[in-house]
Amino acid sequence: MKKILNVTINGTPYEIAIKPKTTLVEVLRNELNLTGTKRSCNAGGCSSCSVLVDGKVVNSCSVLALQVDGKEVTTIEGIADGAKLHPLQQAFLEHGAYQCGYCTPGMIIAGKALLDENPNPTKQEVKEAIAGNLCRCTGYVRIVDAILATAKKLQEEAK
Amino acid sequence: MRDFEYIAPKTVKETLDVLDEYQEDCKIIAGGQSLLNILKQGLMAPEYIIDIKNLEELNYIKFDEKDGLKIGATTTHRSVEFSDTIKEHYNVLSEMERHLATVQIRNWGTIGGNLCIADPTGDVAPPLLAMDATVIIANKDGEREVTVLDFGVDYYETVVGPNELLTEIRVPVIPSNTGIAYLKYRIVEGDAPIVGAAVAFTLNEKGACKKARIGMGGVAPIPIRAEKAEKMFEGEKITDTLIEEAAKVASEETTPIPDIVASAEYKKRVIGVYVKRAAKLALTRAEKAAN
Ligand SMILES: Cc1cc2nc3c(=O)[nH]c(=O)nc-3n(C[C@H](O)[C@H](O)[C@H](O)COP(=O)(O)OP(=O)(O)OC[C@H]3O[C@@H](n4cnc5c(N)ncnc54)[C@H](O)[C@@H]3O)c2cc1C
Ligand code: FES
Ligand code: FES
């Protein structure tokens, strides 16, 4: 029997009828066509499916959708300001911090969660924050650089 | 994944009633970080899923100087990691959580779920064993307190019955002059540990060992204590030689299960090294606490 899920995604409230076994990533990709969030391992092991739930980064493949009832979800589609990219998106572009791009939405979401909590992280803290996000293409150097550069830029802008 | 009926009780009492009604036909989901993988693989196909993730009643961290620490079962790993109370009085738990799985898993997974899945490599049990922790298990008719030592029954199996709920984890007040450390071996950050060792030493006025506890993960079907090795320390001055000898004995107390990552012999050797390292760190911390 289907259940009703009430959830706010990227600022828009939704009411969706789903089977209880549906995971959050399935709601995003299959019900709402928000395919920016990538599903790879579907088992909590790669974090390509990272999204924010009430500001905290989680693996959307490993969250039962009904558990986010009443909560706010932010996906990669929700972080840009209209046509203006989020500073992390811009920094990933400038640093060439991707190749195939499959890990990128998850990396950026994990990076955003870190900077929201800790605006001035050390390199080690950046590495720990994305430790669960696997990239099979670029290695991690440019990704870490992009996140650190964003932190620096945001700090300067705040001054 | 097979379809199931979904029930999200609003209170602990309601949860216990539902569990009592459905027994073996239902399964609890907390964070689902382990359970969803089991369901996706079809290893289990419960008719009812009882969701306790949003049971705020069990989401707490409390401390007082008499009863010690109480952590509600649905408290996330991340809340334990960042809790000032825990950093102040039980920092080893914060250190352990910081390196448990990944940020994503720690944000949604719960400390109660980690104990209940009873993966022998789990990070939560060894430090709890080193601190003589207990858990509260409730059913419709009441509750009981069980030591973490007696909590595991076998590989992925605990004393929690189908109509029962783990509600709380309790850690006694840490005696003065105590040092505790937990170290684990794994290939990369985010991987589950291969083996892990937690050591707690309490020193007496003369600086000798008053009490020793060694909790070990990944080296038997359930988390265990190295009780023979613990006894070697008690009443003695802790030296590098004694640590070396006790670590060997601790390693002999294990019965590891070989798996795709490591053979039983390998785990037996590595746990000796980790008991030794954790003991040295615990000793340094105990000496610092005593000064
Ligand atoms: C990729 C990956 C890496 C991981 N790495 C680590 C690691 O490094 N260290 C580590 O320790 N763990 C690790 N884990 C395991 C994971 O962190 C824990 O198992 C998880 O936190 C369990 O909590 P949960 O709330 O998600 O439990 P769930 O998955 O919801 O439940 C687990 C089990 O416990 C039962 N249960 C849950 N809560 C209760 C309760 N209150 N009372 C009775 N029964 C209950 C459920 O029915 C189920 O059988 C990893 C998992 C993954 C997927
Ligand atoms: S797809 Fe979710 S963690 Fe890999
Ligand atoms: S860019 Fe291909 S996986 Fe990271």
Side-chain angles (χ1 to χ4, degrees), chain A residues 11-139:
Chain A
T12 309
Y14 291 92
E15 189 180 289
I16 317 163
I18 54 167
K19 286 187 170 182
K21 69 173 180 182
T22 314
T23 57
L24 180 53
V25 73
E26 290 167 343
V27 168
L28 296 172
R29 292 183 57 91
N30 305 347
E31 304 289 327
L32 303 176
N33 215 16
L34 291 170
T35 52
T37 302
K38 304 301 177 201
R39 186 176 84 169
S40 305
C41 72
N42 200 28
C46 74
S47 292
S48 74
C49 63
S50 294
V51 300
L52 304 179
V53 174
D54 287 347
K56 294 204 152 64
V57 61
V58 301
N59 292 325
S60 60
C61 74
S62 300
V63 170
L64 212 53
L66 287 171
Q67 291 193 330
V68 302
D69 193 70
K71 300 190 192 296
E72 295 212 10
V73 176
T74 307
T75 71
I76 190 73
E77 290 91 347
I79 67 167
D81 180 8
K84 190 166 170 272
L85 292 178
H86 184 277
L88 271 168
Q89 292 173 307
Q90 191 61 42
F92 269 60
L93 270 177
E94 284 162 11
H95 285 79
Y98 48 80
Q99 282 180 30
C100 80
Y102 217 75
C103 68
T104 313
M107 286 288 182
I108 290 178
I109 291 290
K112 177 166 165 33
L114 170 71
L115 298 185
D116 288 347
E117 257 172 31
N118 177 0
N120 195 12
T122 62
K123 195 168 187 179
Q124 179 62 25
E125 284 168 338
V126 173
K127 286 182 175 176
E128 283 183 19
I130 60 162
N133 293 74
L134 301 192
C135 175
R136 297 292 84 152
C137 300
T138 74

Side-chain angles (χ1 to χ4, degrees), chain A residues 3 19-21 42-44 47 50 53 56-59 61-64 66-68 71 110 117 128-129 131-133, chain B residues 1-6 29-33 36-37 40 49 51 53-54 78 82 98-99 102-105 107-108 189:
Chain A
K3 289 251 180 193
K19 286 187 170 182
K21 69 173 180 182
N42 200 28
S47 292
S50 294
V53 174
K56 294 204 152 64
V57 61
V58 301
N59 292 325
C61 74
S62 300
V63 170
L64 212 53
L66 287 171
Q67 291 193 330
V68 302
K71 300 190 192 296
E117 257 172 31
E128 283 183 19
N133 293 74
Chain B
M1 208 191 304
R2 278 254 298 275
D3 283 314
F4 49 76
E5 292 280 328
Y6 172 87
I29 190 167
Q33 302 302 294
L36 284 175
N37 284 346
K40 285 176 191 170
I49 285 285
D51 185 2
K53 169 72 185 163
N54 294 313
R78 211 89 206 290
F82 284 118
R98 181 167 171 199
H99 297 284
T102 62
V103 178
Q104 286 86 349
I105 292 171
N107 269 334
W108 208 251
E189 180 87 17

